[in-house]
Amino acid sequence: MSVLAILIISVFCVNIVCILTMIFVERKKPHTIVSWFIVLNFLPIIGFLIYGIVGSGLSYKTKKMLKKKRLYAKSYEDFVKEQKQLFTSRNISKEELKYLDLMLFNLNNSNSSYLKNNSVRVFLNGEDKILALKKDLLRAKHSINILYYIFADDEVGREVMDILIQKAKEGVKVKLLFDSVGCLKTPRKFFKQLVVAGGEIAEFFPLLFGFRLFNFKANYRNHKKIVVIDGRIGYTGGINIRDDHMGRSRRLSPWRDTHIRIVGNAVHDLQIAFFNDWRYCKNISSSMNNLISEGYFPRLGDFGDVGCQIITSGPDLPNQPIKESLLKMILSAKDKIYIQTPYFIPDESMLSALKIAKMSGVDIKIMIPSKPDKKFVYAATLSFIKDLIPTGIEFYRYDGFLHAKSIIIDDKVVSIGSCNFDNRSFALNFEISAFLFNAEFVDQNLNYFLVDLSHCAKVENSFFKRKFIFNKFSQVFVRLFAPLL
């Protein structure tokens, strides 16, 4: 038997083992298996290497550790049970009755408590957000917990790091958690200077033996953005710590994003989300009661009238809480659905939900960027848009790079967080979203959306007719890999 024949048989056997592993061990969904089947067979050997680095599922050991990271103490579980009984008995206000079904769904589906009395400020760009964040960090007295997908060693990154170092030297408890893939270009010595100052750092799914090309969990990224200061002020949304997120990159300027600052009871759930990941990365077992005694969960008063549910999702969970909550929002809409996302790659369930809503008479407007940061993903986005335009769903291209991740339903609720409208965010990444309930707050965000529309061009069928043959081919081809993007 020739060497070539042996090689072909070996590649075939390896591919069969990979496919069987996806089916019986990792239990991937059929459309994902089909996409990987194409990669493995059209890119022999290289396809296997790609699968080994970014496609293989979480190991049994990793899954076991992730299951242990949940912080729900008995007192928190009792509080959630009380809320379920409260909503079941309909002992709620007339305003809350409008979105009772969604609140109950989030409570039952993801144990996400509904917390009132919050004040929420919205930031529409990185410069405003970072200015407010730096002021809050400088006022910190007890603790700073910070988690970012990207924390770069650039101008804005150094500004924030200098403040963290300063506060650590003053005796404030500073904990910084960063994602391995998101911070691939950031030197690890940049973070270690915080440790020298007295702070703590942790890396989510760190590199294998320190080699940047060897991270067999690279497909699973902690895409969250969380800051909690003194247990009283919280930040979350889409803006990372990097210069281009401040709009300082000519190629992707203007950069439009959405981030929020929360003061109120919902900050406690942001704190829980942070410590869930922190405990996993540091492999520690601090209970909720210990953290309460250490001052991480101070008593909070009445700061506003925005209700909030914080929902996290990730491959460590048996379901997809954020995606399922968004599905519930879309299917419950009566009047309008307004979506802003940098990447629009819906799966079949999302496509069906949007079509059903549109056929029910709901006004659906979806906004994407006109300047893509990832052309491969953008091609897939355009292929889905081309198919949906005939349904009457309206698409708009923002004049710049749109990185906001927000969804508005009627006058009831707005979702703002780190989660994009794609399979990667719904199924592969660790994400966080805030579901915010308040008529005035929703109206405020509706106005932001309408202002953005004035900076958009509507996508018509003629847009696709102008495309070159290569562009049309690439859109169809890239769509084959949509479940992996």
PDB file of all heavy atoms in Angstrom, residues 123-145:
ATOM      1  N   PHE A 123     -24.913  54.870  27.711  1.00  0.00           N
ATOM      2  CA  PHE A 123     -23.819  55.507  26.970  1.00  0.00           C
ATOM      3  C   PHE A 123     -23.882  55.032  25.522  1.00  0.00           C
ATOM      4  O   PHE A 123     -24.029  53.836  25.262  1.00  0.00           O
ATOM      5  CB  PHE A 123     -22.461  55.120  27.566  1.00  0.00           C
ATOM      6  CG  PHE A 123     -22.303  55.497  29.011  1.00  0.00           C
ATOM      7  CD1 PHE A 123     -22.523  54.560  30.012  1.00  0.00           C
ATOM      8  CD2 PHE A 123     -21.948  56.783  29.378  1.00  0.00           C
ATOM      9  CE1 PHE A 123     -22.383  54.889  31.341  1.00  0.00           C
ATOM     10  CE2 PHE A 123     -21.810  57.132  30.715  1.00  0.00           C
ATOM     11  CZ  PHE A 123     -22.035  56.181  31.703  1.00  0.00           C
ATOM     12  N   LEU A 124     -23.746  55.963  24.588  1.00  0.00           N
ATOM     13  CA  LEU A 124     -23.837  55.640  23.170  1.00  0.00           C
ATOM     14  C   LEU A 124     -22.480  55.618  22.474  1.00  0.00           C
ATOM     15  O   LEU A 124     -22.404  55.346  21.281  1.00  0.00           O
ATOM     16  CB  LEU A 124     -24.758  56.631  22.462  1.00  0.00           C
ATOM     17  CG  LEU A 124     -26.177  56.762  23.038  1.00  0.00           C
ATOM     18  CD1 LEU A 124     -26.989  57.744  22.220  1.00  0.00           C
ATOM     19  CD2 LEU A 124     -26.874  55.408  23.102  1.00  0.00           C
ATOM     20  N   ASN A 125     -21.424  55.898  23.219  1.00  0.00           N
ATOM     21  CA  ASN A 125     -20.075  55.839  22.648  1.00  0.00           C
ATOM     22  C   ASN A 125     -19.065  55.559  23.751  1.00  0.00           C
ATOM     23  O   ASN A 125     -19.337  55.730  24.942  1.00  0.00           O
ATOM     24  CB  ASN A 125     -19.715  57.139  21.912  1.00  0.00           C
ATOM     25  CG  ASN A 125     -19.741  58.343  22.841  1.00  0.00           C
ATOM     26  OD1 ASN A 125     -18.856  58.519  23.670  1.00  0.00           O
ATOM     27  ND2 ASN A 125     -20.765  59.177  22.705  1.00  0.00           N
ATOM     28  N   GLY A 126     -17.889  55.124  23.340  1.00  0.00           N
ATOM     29  CA  GLY A 126     -16.867  54.720  24.288  1.00  0.00           C
ATOM     30  C   GLY A 126     -16.283  55.840  25.104  1.00  0.00           C
ATOM     31  O   GLY A 126     -15.960  55.660  26.287  1.00  0.00           O
ATOM     32  N   GLU A 127     -16.136  57.017  24.511  1.00  0.00           N
ATOM     33  CA  GLU A 127     -15.515  58.131  25.239  1.00  0.00           C
ATOM     34  C   GLU A 127     -16.343  58.542  26.453  1.00  0.00           C
ATOM     35  O   GLU A 127     -15.804  58.767  27.542  1.00  0.00           O
ATOM     36  CB  GLU A 127     -15.317  59.329  24.295  1.00  0.00           C
ATOM     37  CG  GLU A 127     -14.319  59.081  23.168  1.00  0.00           C
ATOM     38  CD  GLU A 127     -12.872  59.021  23.634  1.00  0.00           C
ATOM     39  OE1 GLU A 127     -12.618  59.099  24.854  1.00  0.00           O
ATOM     40  OE2 GLU A 127     -11.984  58.874  22.771  1.00  0.00           O
ATOM     41  N   ASP A 128     -17.665  58.640  26.277  1.00  0.00           N
ATOM     42  CA  ASP A 128     -18.533  59.013  27.403  1.00  0.00           C
ATOM     43  C   ASP A 128     -18.517  57.937  28.485  1.00  0.00           C
ATOM     44  O   ASP A 128     -18.473  58.226  29.676  1.00  0.00           O
ATOM     45  CB  ASP A 128     -19.976  59.225  26.920  1.00  0.00           C
ATOM     46  CG  ASP A 128     -20.117  60.492  26.094  1.00  0.00           C
ATOM     47  OD1 ASP A 128     -19.200  61.334  26.125  1.00  0.00           O
ATOM     48  OD2 ASP A 128     -21.153  60.636  25.400  1.00  0.00           O
ATOM     49  N   LYS A 129     -18.554  56.678  28.044  1.00  0.00           N
ATOM     50  CA  LYS A 129     -18.562  55.577  29.008  1.00  0.00           C
ATOM     51  C   LYS A 129     -17.265  55.524  29.803  1.00  0.00           C
ATOM     52  O   LYS A 129     -17.266  55.371  31.024  1.00  0.00           O
ATOM     53  CB  LYS A 129     -18.793  54.255  28.277  1.00  0.00           C
ATOM     54  CG  LYS A 129     -18.706  53.025  29.171  1.00  0.00           C
ATOM     55  CD  LYS A 129     -17.465  52.207  28.879  1.00  0.00           C
ATOM     56  CE  LYS A 129     -17.385  50.980  29.758  1.00  0.00           C
ATOM     57  NZ  LYS A 129     -16.327  50.046  29.334  1.00  0.00           N
ATOM     58  N   ILE A 130     -16.131  55.658  29.111  1.00  0.00           N
ATOM     59  CA  ILE A 130     -14.843  55.523  29.793  1.00  0.00           C
ATOM     60  C   ILE A 130     -14.593  56.691  30.739  1.00  0.00           C
ATOM     61  O   ILE A 130     -13.971  56.545  31.796  1.00  0.00           O
ATOM     62  CB  ILE A 130     -13.695  55.368  28.767  1.00  0.00           C
ATOM     63  CG1 ILE A 130     -12.541  54.566  29.372  1.00  0.00           C
ATOM     64  CG2 ILE A 130     -13.183  56.702  28.275  1.00  0.00           C
ATOM     65  CD1 ILE A 130     -12.857  53.127  29.638  1.00  0.00           C
ATOM     66  N   LEU A 131     -15.105  57.873  30.383  1.00  0.00           N
ATOM     67  CA  LEU A 131     -14.960  59.034  31.261  1.00  0.00           C
ATOM     68  C   LEU A 131     -15.718  58.805  32.568  1.00  0.00           C
ATOM     69  O   LEU A 131     -15.184  59.045  33.659  1.00  0.00           O
ATOM     70  CB  LEU A 131     -15.486  60.291  30.560  1.00  0.00           C
ATOM     71  CG  LEU A 131     -15.401  61.599  31.351  1.00  0.00           C
ATOM     72  CD1 LEU A 131     -13.949  61.942  31.652  1.00  0.00           C
ATOM     73  CD2 LEU A 131     -16.076  62.733  30.581  1.00  0.00           C
ATOM     74  N   ALA A 132     -16.960  58.313  32.471  1.00  0.00           N
ATOM     75  CA  ALA A 132     -17.753  58.030  33.667  1.00  0.00           C
ATOM     76  C   ALA A 132     -17.137  56.893  34.468  1.00  0.00           C
ATOM     77  O   ALA A 132     -17.093  56.944  35.709  1.00  0.00           O
ATOM     78  CB  ALA A 132     -19.189  57.675  33.261  1.00  0.00           C
ATOM     79  N   LEU A 133     -16.646  55.867  33.773  1.00  0.00           N
ATOM     80  CA  LEU A 133     -16.052  54.719  34.465  1.00  0.00           C
ATOM     81  C   LEU A 133     -14.817  55.135  35.258  1.00  0.00           C
ATOM     82  O   LEU A 133     -14.647  54.736  36.420  1.00  0.00           O
ATOM     83  CB  LEU A 133     -15.682  53.636  33.441  1.00  0.00           C
ATOM     84  CG  LEU A 133     -14.967  52.403  34.005  1.00  0.00           C
ATOM     85  CD1 LEU A 133     -15.833  51.681  35.024  1.00  0.00           C
ATOM     86  CD2 LEU A 133     -14.554  51.454  32.874  1.00  0.00           C
ATOM     87  N   LYS A 134     -13.970  55.943  34.667  1.00  0.00           N
ATOM     88  CA  LYS A 134     -12.751  56.368  35.364  1.00  0.00           C
ATOM     89  C   LYS A 134     -13.087  57.184  36.615  1.00  0.00           C
ATOM     90  O   LYS A 134     -12.433  57.029  37.660  1.00  0.00           O
ATOM     91  CB  LYS A 134     -11.854  57.167  34.413  1.00  0.00           C
ATOM     92  CG  LYS A 134     -11.189  56.302  33.337  1.00  0.00           C
ATOM     93  CD  LYS A 134     -10.113  57.047  32.557  1.00  0.00           C
ATOM     94  CE  LYS A 134     -10.672  58.133  31.692  1.00  0.00           C
ATOM     95  NZ  LYS A 134      -9.638  58.746  30.824  1.00  0.00           N
ATOM     96  N   LYS A 135     -14.103  58.031  36.525  1.00  0.00           N
ATOM     97  CA  LYS A 135     -14.521  58.802  37.702  1.00  0.00           C
ATOM     98  C   LYS A 135     -15.007  57.886  38.821  1.00  0.00           C
ATOM     99  O   LYS A 135     -14.670  58.077  39.992  1.00  0.00           O
ATOM    100  CB  LYS A 135     -15.624  59.793  37.317  1.00  0.00           C
ATOM    101  CG  LYS A 135     -15.149  60.970  36.485  1.00  0.00           C
ATOM    102  CD  LYS A 135     -16.305  61.906  36.152  1.00  0.00           C
ATOM    103  CE  LYS A 135     -15.829  63.099  35.328  1.00  0.00           C
ATOM    104  NZ  LYS A 135     -16.967  64.001  34.965  1.00  0.00           N
ATOM    105  N   ASP A 136     -15.809  56.867  38.460  1.00  0.00           N
ATOM    106  CA  ASP A 136     -16.310  55.928  39.462  1.00  0.00           C
ATOM    107  C   ASP A 136     -15.187  55.091  40.057  1.00  0.00           C
ATOM    108  O   ASP A 136     -15.181  54.807  41.267  1.00  0.00           O
ATOM    109  CB  ASP A 136     -17.374  55.015  38.840  1.00  0.00           C
ATOM    110  CG  ASP A 136     -18.707  55.717  38.630  1.00  0.00           C
ATOM    111  OD1 ASP A 136     -18.988  56.677  39.375  1.00  0.00           O
ATOM    112  OD2 ASP A 136     -19.462  55.314  37.727  1.00  0.00           O
ATOM    113  N   LEU A 137     -14.232  54.677  39.221  1.00  0.00           N
ATOM    114  CA  LEU A 137     -13.104  53.894  39.722  1.00  0.00           C
ATOM    115  C   LEU A 137     -12.277  54.697  40.718  1.00  0.00           C
ATOM    116  O   LEU A 137     -11.839  54.168  41.755  1.00  0.00           O
ATOM    117  CB  LEU A 137     -12.217  53.448  38.550  1.00  0.00           C
ATOM    118  CG  LEU A 137     -12.799  52.402  37.593  1.00  0.00           C
ATOM    119  CD1 LEU A 137     -11.862  52.192  36.405  1.00  0.00           C
ATOM    120  CD2 LEU A 137     -13.050  51.074  38.307  1.00  0.00           C
ATOM    121  N   LEU A 138     -12.077  55.959  40.429  1.00  0.00           N
ATOM    122  CA  LEU A 138     -11.267  56.812  41.322  1.00  0.00           C
ATOM    123  C   LEU A 138     -11.957  57.024  42.674  1.00  0.00           C
ATOM    124  O   LEU A 138     -11.288  57.286  43.675  1.00  0.00           O
ATOM    125  CB  LEU A 138     -10.993  58.159  40.647  1.00  0.00           C
ATOM    126  CG  LEU A 138      -9.971  58.132  39.505  1.00  0.00           C
ATOM    127  CD1 LEU A 138      -9.984  59.450  38.731  1.00  0.00           C
ATOM    128  CD2 LEU A 138      -8.571  57.861  40.066  1.00  0.00           C
ATOM    129  N   ARG A 139     -13.303  56.891  42.704  1.00  0.00           N
ATOM    130  CA  ARG A 139     -14.035  57.083  43.958  1.00  0.00           C
ATOM    131  C   ARG A 139     -14.157  55.788  44.764  1.00  0.00           C
ATOM    132  O   ARG A 139     -14.695  55.806  45.872  1.00  0.00           O
ATOM    133  CB  ARG A 139     -15.446  57.611  43.657  1.00  0.00           C
ATOM    134  CG  ARG A 139     -15.490  58.987  43.001  1.00  0.00           C
ATOM    135  CD  ARG A 139     -16.914  59.512  42.987  1.00  0.00           C
ATOM    136  NE  ARG A 139     -17.048  60.706  42.177  1.00  0.00           N
ATOM    137  CZ  ARG A 139     -17.612  60.744  40.962  1.00  0.00           C
ATOM    138  NH1 ARG A 139     -18.111  59.639  40.434  1.00  0.00           N
ATOM    139  NH2 ARG A 139     -17.702  61.874  40.288  1.00  0.00           N
ATOM    140  N   ALA A 140     -13.698  54.668  44.233  1.00  0.00           N
ATOM    141  CA  ALA A 140     -13.853  53.379  44.907  1.00  0.00           C
ATOM    142  C   ALA A 140     -13.191  53.381  46.287  1.00  0.00           C
ATOM    143  O   ALA A 140     -12.069  53.869  46.448  1.00  0.00           O
ATOM    144  CB  ALA A 140     -13.267  52.271  44.048  1.00  0.00           C
ATOM    145  N   LYS A 141     -13.891  52.803  47.255  1.00  0.00           N
ATOM    146  CA  LYS A 141     -13.390  52.747  48.631  1.00  0.00           C
ATOM    147  C   LYS A 141     -13.146  51.313  49.112  1.00  0.00           C
ATOM    148  O   LYS A 141     -12.261  51.074  49.936  1.00  0.00           O
ATOM    149  CB  LYS A 141     -14.400  53.413  49.587  1.00  0.00           C
ATOM    150  CG  LYS A 141     -14.718  54.855  49.271  1.00  0.00           C
ATOM    151  CD  LYS A 141     -13.504  55.749  49.423  1.00  0.00           C
ATOM    152  CE  LYS A 141     -13.861  57.216  49.151  1.00  0.00           C
ATOM    153  NZ  LYS A 141     -12.645  58.079  49.172  1.00  0.00           N
ATOM    154  N   HIS A 142     -13.949  50.370  48.603  1.00  0.00           N
ATOM    155  CA  HIS A 142     -13.881  49.005  49.122  1.00  0.00           C
ATOM    156  C   HIS A 142     -13.347  48.010  48.086  1.00  0.00           C
ATOM    157  O   HIS A 142     -12.395  47.277  48.346  1.00  0.00           O
ATOM    158  CB  HIS A 142     -15.275  48.557  49.584  1.00  0.00           C
ATOM    159  CG  HIS A 142     -15.354  47.111  49.950  1.00  0.00           C
ATOM    160  ND1 HIS A 142     -15.720  46.128  49.044  1.00  0.00           N
ATOM    161  CD2 HIS A 142     -15.106  46.468  51.113  1.00  0.00           C
ATOM    162  CE1 HIS A 142     -15.704  44.951  49.639  1.00  0.00           C
ATOM    163  NE2 HIS A 142     -15.333  45.120  50.892  1.00  0.00           N
ATOM    164  N   SER A 143     -13.976  47.971  46.900  1.00  0.00           N
ATOM    165  CA  SER A 143     -13.611  46.936  45.928  1.00  0.00           C
ATOM    166  C   SER A 143     -13.904  47.363  44.499  1.00  0.00           C
ATOM    167  O   SER A 143     -14.801  48.165  44.247  1.00  0.00           O
ATOM    168  CB  SER A 143     -14.371  45.633  46.238  1.00  0.00           C
ATOM    169  OG  SER A 143     -15.771  45.849  46.172  1.00  0.00           O
ATOM    170  N   ILE A 144     -13.126  46.791  43.579  1.00  0.00           N
ATOM    171  CA  ILE A 144     -13.347  46.938  42.146  1.00  0.00           C
ATOM    172  C   ILE A 144     -13.244  45.550  41.531  1.00  0.00           C
ATOM    173  O   ILE A 144     -12.190  44.911  41.611  1.00  0.00           O
ATOM    174  CB  ILE A 144     -12.306  47.866  41.488  1.00  0.00           C
ATOM    175  CG1 ILE A 144     -12.406  49.294  42.037  1.00  0.00           C
ATOM    176  CG2 ILE A 144     -12.476  47.872  39.967  1.00  0.00           C
ATOM    177  CD1 ILE A 144     -11.271  50.202  41.575  1.00  0.00           C
ATOM    178  N   ASN A 145     -14.326  45.085  40.942  1.00  0.00           N
ATOM    179  CA  ASN A 145     -14.334  43.818  40.213  1.00  0.00           C
ATOM    180  C   ASN A 145     -14.576  44.122  38.740  1.00  0.00           C
ATOM    181  O   ASN A 145     -15.595  44.710  38.394  1.00  0.00           O
ATOM    182  CB  ASN A 145     -15.422  42.884  40.749  1.00  0.00           C
ATOM    183  CG  ASN A 145     -15.127  42.433  42.169  1.00  0.00           C
ATOM    184  OD1 ASN A 145     -13.964  42.375  42.573  1.00  0.00           O
ATOM    185  ND2 ASN A 145     -16.156  42.114  42.920  1.00  0.00           N
TER     186      ASN A 145
END
